[in-house]
Each structure stands twice: as C-alpha cells, then as structure tokens.
Amino acid sequence: MKKSGLRGRGGAGFPSGLKWSFMPKVSDGRPAYLVVNADESEPGTCKDREIMRHDPHKLVEGCLIAGVAMRACAAYIYIRGEYVNERRNLQRAVKEAYEAGYIGKNACGSGYDFDVHIHFGAGAYICGEETALLESLEGKQGKPRLKPPFPANTGLYGCPSTVTNVETVAVSPTILRRGPEWFASFGRKNNSGTKLFCISGHVNTPCTVEEEMSIPLRELIERHAGGVRGGWDNLLAIIPGGSSVPLIPKSVCDDILMDFDALKAAQTGLGTAAVIVMDKSTDVVDAIARLSYFYKHESCGQCTPCREGTGWLWMMMERMKAGKAMIEEIDTLWELTKQIEGHTICALGDAAAWPVQGLIRHFRPEMERRIRERAAMEIEEPMEAAG
Amino acid sequence: MSHYPANYKQSAVIPLLDLAQQQHGGWLTISAMNKVAEILGMAPIRVYEVATFYSMFNRTKVGKYHLLVCGTTPCRLRGSCDIEEALLKHLGVERNEVTSDGLFSVGEMECMGCCVNAPMIVVADYTKGAEGYTYNYYEDLTPKKVIELVEILRRGESPPPGTQNPDRFNCAPAGGQKTLLCEPKPPPCRDLDAC
C-alpha cells in the first residue's frame, strides 16, 4: 500500500500506507478496529454512494484486506443515515459474504476471524470527521475529540482504530491484485492512482466518473460532463474539491491539473474531488453565503471559534450578498476567517473559513461593486430604518 | 444491538431511535426516547442529546410523506429553490408545516450526497410503519415533475425512485456513458516527476 502511493480519498490526502502502519503491531490486550467512513456529506460529493450501490463487494473485500493489514478484529462501516437504500444494499452484500464464508469466523479459510458490521448515522456532516465519527459510533453526540491522542492509539471504545474513507478501502483489493506499480503508473509523482470525480453544477451532463489523477480540469469537464453550460468561456469559477476548499476563478481553471499538489499550489485543494462548476449566470456571493449557512447548520457547537464564527460568517455573507456593508467590512470578514482557521478542535472551522477566503481572494471586485451600488441606491432613496 | 460489544450497548442509540421514529409515524416523543434509554441502560439525557443533535430525527409531527428538499449549493445552482417554492405553493404550507389532511410536509435538508443528479428531493414514507418504511431519492427534478410526483403519492402509488430523467442511468451522464467504450489508452507523456 505504501509503494502504490495511495493517498487518502476522504479529503485530506494523507498517505494511506503510512496511516495504516500507525496501528500497533502487537496488541496490548485491546482489540483493534477498522472503521470505514461512509458518511459522505461533503457538498458536491456523491462517489461513495456509487461504490456502495453498485459494487459493495469491493468494499467488503477491502475491509477484510485492510483489517488483516492492521490486525483488526472487526470493521464498522459507518454509513450516513440518509443513504437508506445504499445501506440495505450493502447489508445484502455483507450477508452474502458471510454466507460464502469470505468474512466471519475463519475468513476465506485463512484462520483469521473478521466481522463486518454496518452502523448508520442520522444526518450530521460533522460525523464525517474521524473522531466525531468515533463518538457517534459510540452512541453519543458527534462532537470531535482533541487529537492527540490519535485514533490509532485511542479510537473506538478506547481501542486502536483507523478511520478510512470508502474509496481508499475499496481500491485496496485492486492494488494488491494488480500490483502497486500499476496503480502508481497513473497520475504524477506523489499523486498516483485513479479517483472518482463528481462533476456537478452548471455543466451540460453532470456525472460521476473514475478518472486518472492529474488530469487537466478542462479535459475532465469537457470529455465527461459535456463541457460548461454555454461553452468554456461562460465559466465563472469552480470549486474543485467539495465545498470545503476555496474556489478558483476561470483564469486558474484553464490549465490546472486535478491532483493534490497542483491544487495546493493554486491555494485550493483536491479534497474529495467534487467539482462544482459555476457559470457566469451564478450569483457567486449567494453560492458562498449558502455554504456559510451549511457550515453554521452543521457546526457541532463544541468550540467557540466555530460555533460563534460560522454564525457570524453567515450573517456577514448574507449582508454582502445584498451589498449591505461597508468596503472595510470585507477586511473584517477576512480577519474573521483567519481567526477561525486553525483555532478549532477539528477541521470544520477551516472548512468554513476557506470558501469565504477564496471568494474574497478572487472576487473582491464583485463584492465591492455590490456594496457601492447599494450605497449609491441608498443615497438616492430614503434610508431604511437602521438595523 | 448484537453488532456492538456487550458493554457498549449505547452504540445502538441511533438505530433504535430511527426505528422508534418509523414506528410512530415519523416523529419521536419524549416517551419513545425514555423507552430507548431504558432498553439501552442509558441516562435519558444522553438519548435526548442524541435526538436533538442529528437532523434526521423529528421531534414535532410531520406528514405521512415527509418531503425533504436538498438546499445546499450544488443543488441550489441547479434550481432547488424553484423546487421548494413549487412544492410549498402547491401544497399551500410553509416549511415544516403539515398539510391539513396530514399527508405531506416539506422540510429542507443539507447536502444529501446526490449532487450530480441535482436538484432532488427525498420522500420519507411513514404510511406503512417500520416494515414498509422507505426513504427514496427522486433526482433530476423540475418544478413540474415534482408536482406530478406529489400527486402520484397522494393517490397512494409509488413513483419509481432514482433519477427522473429518462436519458440517464443513475450517475452516468445524460446520453450514455463516455468511458469504457474502447481499449484504454496508455497515460499521455506528462512530466511524471514534476511536483
């Protein structure tokens, strides 16, 4: 797994072989668990759903392989509560695997006992965060824990666990079957393999497609999603990796490659490779304001910068949408995002801050234009009662 | 409950609350939460915490068909506001209000994980109790199609779930798949060592 260069497909892109090797080599009496993160709630992302609906046995096989690699005794697949039909499908697949003897006692006749359990959530984006997922699995509110201690040390029920994304686990049987060199032959150095891209928004034919890493963004959209609505020149901005990464304007989209390093260099990120395309008809401030509302709604409320900050961000974004602000407040908004970013228990604070930063970085003229127009309008018409 | 270690029964709280909700026409009462607490040997406050934290648990009455519209940005870009407006206008209710015949209510959810088939709604069907419970996605909607869907439900029939665009198969692009149509080409000669 290390040789294949697989990087986590859940958004963070941490090298998987390295992550899996953090599990204890010798048990100290506690059982170890593999936890599969099938809580796919990042706006724009719908890739794990496809794996679970149509190819669940790849996931079950992956669980067994990853579990054996980390000397786990059982796997818990945490699937989001809204995926009821996908869960029923996956349940059928697990049942079939048990009946065929591939998992359970003496899995595949190897003498290793391995169980797979399916657990589900009930509609909380924050439960996609690994420690919040563990809290939710344990039956509590999904509030993230502080790290350290890391899950590989103290995870589910206090036992060593590793939380991995569905796609990462599901691709591991193929890597072992075809060899790590085959997997590493796709994509650029350090960004190897294939990825499921979910292209949504203002394209002609939105779809989910498995493509090679490091594919140029323009080629990805034109080949698979029928191109941007109204032609490439009608493009305004793209969010390349699900709502938690900053957007990139058309000038950057023209020749950017879709992989972890290239997008990081462009001050954004690959995230979950959920490509949200916005064309020139979009009210981009409204789109980002809605994302701010999403983060406010999904904040767990544990730490102050996120709980207060996401609400404050949303209120300011709503005013920015209408231009009901002063030009200096854009700097206040930037300062606010910098105060939230990095000062929270989990990454939801960063995820809430980044889209707004991307908007200010690339669309500041648009925001200023609205403020000026609104100010000009208020001079001509009587002011509304101060609010 | 058999899925979890015997000393961690608390893990089963979400599945049990979900089951209780299905058995009670789509919403949870305090007594249901207390019963779950009793079954799992938890303090009731811990169950209340979980029931108030997650958005799928309804603590007030909902319609027999609870319609949930996804309103987050990818769906919003494809017109989810129009879908919600059409539904509310057609049913004559506000968001989270139940129609007078008790059949429908409309709510908003955050991203439902169906973004390439936007806009979409989910119909949580509480008409047949826990055994007949379905939670189906209806995708690729237009305001006209969503009204037709509501009327099909009103007649007591089940519209086909999934994408409502006959040109699409699940998440594949409209007009058929564009991959795996020929032998795969080798990767183009990009500067593979560049970082």
Side-chain angles (χ1 to χ4, degrees), chain A residues 191-210:
Chain A
N191 296 285
S192 51
T194 58
K195 181 86 184 68
L196 267 74
F197 292 96
C198 307
I199 311 165
S200 59
H202 294 152
V203 287
N204 286 319
T205 56
C207 64
T208 305
V209 60
E210 181 173 14

Side-chain angles (χ1 to χ4, degrees), chain A residues 1 4 9 12 52 82 113 223 241 249 252 276-277 320 341:
Chain A
M1 293 305 293
S4 71
R9 299 292 194 237
M52 292 187 289
E82 290 88 338
D113 294 340
R223 212 203 297 177
V252 178
I276 306 174
V277 178
M320 292 289 174
E341 190 185 348

Side-chain angles (χ1 to χ4, degrees), chain A residues 44 49 54 76 80 83 85 88 117 119 122-123 136-137 141 157 189 201-203 206 223 286-287 290 294, chain B residues 3-4 11 49 54-56 71 73 76-78 108 110-111 113 115 133 136 139 168 170-171 178 192:
Chain A
R49 181 179 184 223
H54 301 302
Y76 281 92
R80 70 178 288 188
Y83 281 171
N85 294 332
R88 290 179 177 166
H117 302 289
H119 173 93
S136 182
L137 239 179
Q141 296 185 312
Y157 309 129
K189 189 155 167 231
H202 294 152
V203 287
R223 212 203 297 177
D286 171 66
R290 185 58 181 77
F294 171 80
Chain B
H3 287 299
Y4 311 103
S11 294
E49 277 178 354
Y54 296 97
S55 51
M56 277 176 79
T73 301
R76 194 180 169 90
L77 291 174
R78 302 282 296 185
E108 192 196 27
E110 298 299 331
C111 183
C115 318
Y133 174 67
N136 286 327
E139 309 156 2
R168 290 188 77 167
N170 291 329
C171 66
K178 298 204 175 69
L192 293 177

Side-chain angles (χ1 to χ4, degrees), chain B residues 58-155:
Chain B
N58 306 311
R59 284 164 287 121
T60 51
K61 251 182 168 187
V62 295
K64 296 212 182 86
Y65 293 105
H66 190 44
L67 311 171
L68 296 155
V69 185
C70 171
T72 320
T73 301
C75 278
R76 194 180 169 90
L77 291 174
R78 302 282 296 185
S80 69
C81 298
D82 299 329
I83 304 285
E84 199 187 349
E85 208 184 299
L87 273 177
L88 292 176
K89 187 149 158 251
H90 181 80
L91 295 171
V93 287
E94 301 287 321
R95 209 192 264 184
N96 294 325
E97 199 190 317
V98 186
T99 53
S100 44
D101 54 6
L103 264 184
F104 296 107
S105 49
V106 180
E108 192 196 27
M109 279 293 253
E110 298 299 331
C111 183
M112 301 296 277
C114 179
C115 318
V116 301
N117 295 86
M120 54 81 75
I121 67 166
V122 175
V123 176
D125 180 347
Y126 295 110
T127 55
K128 302 178 189 75
E131 283 77 34
Y133 174 67
T134 56
Y135 194 85
N136 286 327
Y137 279 27
Y138 294 94
E139 309 156 2
D140 286 312
L141 292 172
T142 60
K144 191 157 146 282
K145 280 207 183 92
V146 81
I147 305 293
E148 285 168 12
L149 212 88
V150 165
E151 292 309 314
I152 297 179
L153 289 170
R154 200 192 287 275
R155 291 198 294 269

